[in-house]
Amino acid sequence: QVQLVESGGGLVQAGDSLTLSCTASGLAFSDFAMGWFRQAPGKERDFLAAISWGGSSTYYGDSVKGRFAISRDNAKKKVYLQMNKLKPEDTAIYYCVAGRIASPLETYDYWGQGTQVTVSS
């Protein structure tokens, strides 16, 4: 059974930094591209970042380019999202995803349950 478990969410102030982690189990982690999406109340799901299976290629959504950074540790089966200069509009549930191809589309095979990030002004 594949599981993606996000952690590291919480309440922060505008301008703060936060790092999300996602731990994978039940899959050959190094064979999968990984990514992050988020969804705010009443809004569509938003692509944030993706990283290729080996970590050599990364992709970012326009809303977070330059502020967020994705990385992975295949030995630990973890993927991270470093978030800097957080804004109130970054408030959302953040989801970890795994799939065969790093893509901004919602074509990933597996999704985590999500972790809440709230940014106060």
Side-chain angles (χ1 to χ4, degrees):
Q1 180 183 0
V2 175
Q3 282 194 314
L4 301 176
V5 180
E6 302 95 340
S7 60
L11 174 63
V12 296
Q13 293 189 333
D16 285 352
S17 296
L18 195 64
T19 299
L20 303 182
S21 299
C22 171
T23 303
S25 61
L27 78 168
F29 184 77
S30 59
D31 288 346
F32 282 79
M34 301 297 294
W36 292 91
F37 286 75
R38 69 184 177 191
Q39 189 165 23
K43 295 188 177 180
E44 293 186 352
R45 205 143 46 186
D46 187 24
F47 167 73
L48 301 178
I51 187 167
S52 60
W53 60 270
S56 60
S57 299
T58 55
Y59 311 88
Y60 294 95
D62 289 340
S63 62
V64 302
K65 201 173 294 183
R67 293 192 301 128
F68 290 11
I70 189 170
S71 61
R72 66 188 295 160
D73 186 331
N74 284 352
K76 295 182 178 179
K77 295 188 176 182
K78 289 181 178 288
V79 62
Y80 305 96
L81 186 67
Q82 171 69 42
M83 305 185 292
N84 300 316
K85 300 179 181 179
L86 284 163
K87 307 173 183 180
E89 51 264 43
D90 292 318
T91 295
I93 298 175
Y94 284 66
Y95 297 93
C96 173
V97 297
R100 292 297 182 177
I101 299 173
S103 166
L105 304 177
E106 297 184 22
T107 55
Y108 292 83
D109 299 302
Y110 305 105
W111 292 71
Q113 291 298 307
T115 186
Q116 177 71 46
V117 172
T118 303
V119 184
S120 63
S121 57

